[in-house]
């Protein structure tokens, strides 16, 4: 089986060439990278989002500014598209616990409106970016397979799981096909590090700005970090996958602590002094999260192709040169 990856699915042979694809949340980090890949693969890309992409990031892509709660705008974006990539999230894991009702309304309820619009418009497939970092909660085994218990400790993860279940329901009731990718902790270009998401970008940004690195807890929490090119490859591959499995983990399959990341940043940025400030831990942080990625390899031939060190260096270089 030839692995699918960031250097194997670009070009005229792409199964999405000529297909009409909608990316919801296209102004975000993953959405920007996905639109660029789809465009390179010859897909006809409609980009939709509330926040504009970084200047020059999506040249030539048809952009539509809109809010996910504006159902008329969503319907206009959906019209004529075969595949929808749903990357919009209503909150962050920490903030979701402060207002679970708002999280439910902003993510699950709005996704149900989207699914009604999609089935009425003849959409063939919805690809949903779920959260491999939150849906499992505190794991009983590591690495975590898709069959593991799902007991989130954040409303954010509960919302992601609810959307997964509703996708299954709409396939059962209406034949709307779908794929769920439980993505670990993505990082890479177009993640600026100035928002409250993306620990690697945030640490690299502060390091380059000469600011102390702020860490929640002891720095010993372990996460599965995956370079964005490989996430995008999994999204693209899942759009045309027709197997019986619908839910897949997407990660590197390796764990690294925050302290290990800081050590690697020190090695790369050897000309800088990196001070670290440790803050009290957060209730939403599980101690370890590493995903078992065997299923997606067996089903789609996908595996990550970007090494940790190459991805980290590329991320630092992009932030150094390009981040506002």
């Amino acid at each position: 089986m030839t692995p699918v990856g960031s250097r194997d699915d670009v070009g005229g042979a792409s199964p999405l060439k000529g297909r009409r694809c909608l990316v919801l949340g296209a102004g975000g980090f993953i959405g920007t990278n996905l639109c660029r890949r789809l465009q390179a693969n010859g897909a006809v890309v409609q980009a939709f989002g509330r926040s504009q992409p970084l200047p020059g990031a999506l040249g030539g892509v048809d952009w539509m500014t809109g809010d996910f709660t504006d159902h008329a705008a969503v319907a206009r974006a959906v019209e004529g598209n075969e595949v929808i990539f749903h990357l919009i999230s209503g909150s962050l894991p920490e903030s979701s616990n402060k207002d679970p009702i708002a999280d439910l309304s902003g993510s699950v309820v709005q996704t149900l409106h989207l699914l009604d619009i999609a089935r009425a418009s003849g959409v063939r497939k919805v690809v949903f970016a779920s959260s491999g970092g939150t849906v499992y909660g505190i794991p009983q085994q590591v690495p975590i397979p898709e069959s593991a218990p799902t007991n989130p400790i954040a409303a954010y993860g509960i919302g992601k799981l609810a959307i997964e279940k509703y996708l299954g329901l709409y396939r059962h009731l209406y034949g709307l096909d779908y794929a769920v990718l439980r993505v670990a902790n993505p990082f890479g270009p177009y993640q600026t590090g100035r928002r409250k998401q993306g620990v690697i970008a945030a640490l690299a940004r502060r390091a380059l700005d000469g600011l102390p690195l702020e860490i929640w807890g002891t720095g010993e929490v372990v996460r599965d970090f995956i370079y964005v090119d490989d996430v995008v490859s999994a999204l693209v591959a899942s759009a045309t996958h027709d197997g019986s499995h619908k839910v897949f983990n997407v990660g590197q399959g390796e764990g690294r602590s925050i302290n290990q990341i800081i050590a690697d940043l020190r090695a790369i940025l050897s000309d800088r002094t990196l001070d670290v400030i440790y803050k009290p831990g957060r209730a939403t942080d599980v101690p370890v999260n590493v995903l078992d990625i065997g299923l997606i390899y067996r089903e789609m031939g996908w595996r990550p192709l970007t090494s940790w060190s190459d991805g980290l260096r590329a991320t630092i270089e992009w932030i150094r040169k390009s981040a506002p």
Side-chain angles (χ1 to χ4, degrees), residues 14-22 38 41-46 80-83 124 239-240:
S14 168
L16 289 179
K17 184 177 182 180
R19 301 276 190 94
R20 297 186 62 86
C21 299
L22 168 65
L38 290 171
N41 283 0
V44 180
V45 184
Q46 173 71 67
N81 285 289
E82 299 176 59
V83 180
R124 186 183 63 81
T240 55

Side-chain angles (χ1 to χ4, degrees), residues 93-118:
E94 183 185 14
S95 63
S96 68
N97 282 356
K98 297 176 182 177
D99 194 346
I101 295 175
D103 182 73
L104 179 70
S105 175
S107 59
V108 180
V109 173
Q110 303 310 323
T111 297
L112 284 171
H113 286 293
L114 168 66
L115 296 182
D116 282 333
I117 292 168

Side-chain angles (χ1 to χ4, degrees), residues 71-260:
H71 305 147
V74 172
R76 289 193 296 272
V78 168
E79 184 177 1
N81 285 289
E82 299 176 59
V83 180
I84 297 175
F85 293 91
H86 179 11
L87 311 180
I88 292 178
S89 183
S91 68
L92 299 174
E94 183 185 14
S95 63
S96 68
N97 282 356
K98 297 176 182 177
D99 194 346
I101 295 175
D103 182 73
L104 179 70
S105 175
S107 59
V108 180
V109 173
Q110 303 310 323
T111 297
L112 284 171
H113 286 293
L114 168 66
L115 296 182
D116 282 333
I117 292 168
R119 69 182 183 86
S121 301
V123 169
R124 186 183 63 81
K125 190 166 190 176
V126 176
V127 178
F128 175 57
S130 187
S131 172
T134 64
V135 299
Y136 296 110
I138 300 173
Q140 297 180 4
Q141 65 183 101
V142 177
I144 310 167
E146 290 85 350
S147 58
T150 49
N151 296 302
I153 58 174
Y156 178 91
I158 294 174
K160 293 288 190 182
L161 278 176
I163 291 172
E164 292 183 15
K165 296 300 184 182
Y166 276 117
L167 285 164
L169 177 64
Y170 272 62
R171 183 174 187 269
H172 173 72
L173 294 177
Y174 310 113
L176 178 61
D177 198 11
Y178 73 98
V180 169
L181 298 188
R182 292 176 174 171
V183 181
N185 294 77
F187 71 100
Y190 298 100
Q191 192 174 46
T192 64
R194 297 201 185 277
R195 298 178 180 179
K196 293 183 178 181
Q197 199 168 21
V199 63
I200 291 176
L203 292 175
R205 175 77 275 170
R206 292 185 69 85
L208 290 169
D209 287 346
L211 299 173
L213 310 186
E214 298 180 338
I215 305 300
W216 299 103
T218 64
E220 286 305 306
V221 297
V222 173
R223 294 291 180 268
D224 188 337
F225 295 98
I226 179 168
Y227 192 61
V228 68
D229 279 4
D230 292 318
V231 176
V232 166
S233 294
L235 288 164
V236 171
S238 66
T240 55
H241 174 67
D242 60 359
S244 59
H245 290 279
K246 299 298 178 183
V247 178
F248 300 94
N249 288 336
V250 174
Q252 191 72 23
E254 302 172 356
R256 285 177 176 81
S257 72
I258 305 302
N259 287 332
Q260 286 176 304

Side-chain angles (χ1 to χ4, degrees), residues 264-303:
D264 290 340
L265 284 172
R266 281 200 172 103
I268 294 172
L269 302 173
S270 57
D271 60 331
R272 297 173 182 268
T273 300
L274 304 186
D275 296 322
V276 182
I277 298 174
Y278 291 94
K279 295 186 172 184
R282 300 176 295 186
T284 55
D285 287 333
V286 300
V288 59
N289 180 274
V290 181
L291 301 182
D292 183 331
I293 55 174
L295 178 61
I296 192 171
Y297 177 72
R298 294 190 296 273
E299 287 288 310
M300 300 185 205
W302 177 92
R303 62 176 174 83

